[in-house]
């Protein structure tokens, strides 16, 4: 579903991700092994058509929202997704990508997850958000922890970091609306 809101933080904004954002630069993010190291999309061949198809499918869905992460200089630097949303239990996954590496380490992901978390609980009235993080992805663990998400558990040997490599663990972080709104 296309979000109708733009969310503004101190150094970034979140706005709906649209087909016009499906650029060669976005494609290059998905093809960069350093950027896509922890993305499930790294297993599939990416093209402008596959990106456009993904964005269209999320925008057409009534259970997911896709945002572009926009830097101060109006530059598209990444994406954030909430969904799929379970219609009865009011819970969803949250995940993100910062594609422009010169924005890494600046707190952008922390701010984006914070903005989206508040929006999901206040606007969508979700009950719970959760995110899975490869155990080797310490930066993403910190993003969730800084936003008040709790480590709920470890999914042992769930994912492969490399094709035909050993399986690795995944940390599951979650935050309940009641815990967030009481802060």
């Amino acid at each position: 579903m296309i979000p109708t809101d733009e969310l503004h933080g101190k150094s970034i904004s979140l706005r709906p991700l649209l087909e016009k954002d499906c650029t060669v630069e976005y494609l290059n993010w998905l093809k960069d092994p350093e950027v896509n190291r922890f993305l499930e999309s790294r297993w599939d061949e990416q093209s402008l058509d596959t990106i456009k198809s993904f964005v269209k499918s999320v925008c057409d869905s009534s259970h997911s929202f896709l945002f572009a992460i926009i830097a101060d200089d109006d530059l598209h630097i990444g994406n954030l997704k909430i969904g799929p949303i379970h219609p009865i239990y009011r819970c969803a996954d949250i995940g993100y990508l910062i594609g422009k590496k010169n924005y890494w380490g600046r707190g952008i992901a922390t701010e984006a997850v914070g903005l989206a978390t508040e929006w999901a609980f206040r606007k969508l009235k979700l009950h719970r958000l959760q995110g899975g993080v490869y155990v080797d992805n310490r930066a993403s663990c910190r993003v969730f922890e800084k936003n008040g998400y709790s480590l709920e558990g470890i999914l042992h040997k769930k994912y492969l970091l490399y094709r035909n490599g050993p399986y690795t663990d995944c940390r599951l972080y979650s935050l309940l609306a009641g815990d967030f709104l009481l802060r």
Side-chain angles (χ1 to χ4, degrees), residues 125-140:
K125 305 293 187 212
L126 294 187
H127 165 68
R128 170 192 164 95
L129 285 171
Q130 65 184 30
V133 180
Y134 284 73
V135 293
D136 293 346
N137 191 348
R138 303 300 302 153
S140 280

Side-chain angles (χ1 to χ4, degrees), residues 88-135:
I88 295 170
Y89 301 124
R90 308 297 303 152
C91 61
D93 292 331
I94 183 169
Y96 65 89
L97 151 74
I98 306 297
K100 292 197 68 71
K101 292 188 267 189
N102 58 324
Y103 285 85
W104 289 4
R106 296 187 185 185
I108 301 286
T110 300
E111 187 174 354
V113 168
L115 286 169
T117 297
E118 181 167 6
W119 180 80
F121 287 146
R122 293 191 191 282
K123 174 89 179 209
L124 301 179
K125 305 293 187 212
L126 294 187
H127 165 68
R128 170 192 164 95
L129 285 171
Q130 65 184 30
V133 180
Y134 284 73
V135 293

Side-chain angles (χ1 to χ4, degrees), residues 37-55:
R37 180 174 175 212
F38 299 112
L39 300 178
E40 291 305 298
S41 61
R42 74 186 183 280
W43 302 115
D44 301 317
E45 184 62 34
Q46 299 296 327
S47 68
L48 286 174
D49 287 337
T50 61
I51 294 170
K52 288 176 183 176
S53 177
F54 168 74
V55 170

Side-chain angles (χ1 to χ4, degrees), residues 67-88:
F67 289 95
I69 302 171
I70 306 298
D72 280 351
D73 49 6
D74 204 33
L75 185 65
H76 176 209
I77 61 169
N79 303 329
L80 184 141
K81 181 181 173 214
I82 295 174
I85 297 169
H86 192 285
I88 295 170

Side-chain angles (χ1 to χ4, degrees), residues 110 138-151 171 173 183:
T110 300
R138 303 300 302 153
S140 280
C141 292
R142 286 191 303 277
V143 165
F144 283 109
E145 291 163 1
K146 287 179 182 178
N147 278 292
Y149 285 70
S150 298
L151 177 61
R171 293 174 183 245
Y173 286 92
R183 300 193 297 184

Side-chain angles (χ1 to χ4, degrees), residues 148 150 175-183:
S150 298
L175 182 60
L176 299 177
D179 295 338
F180 175 81
L181 296 172
L182 288 175
R183 300 193 297 184

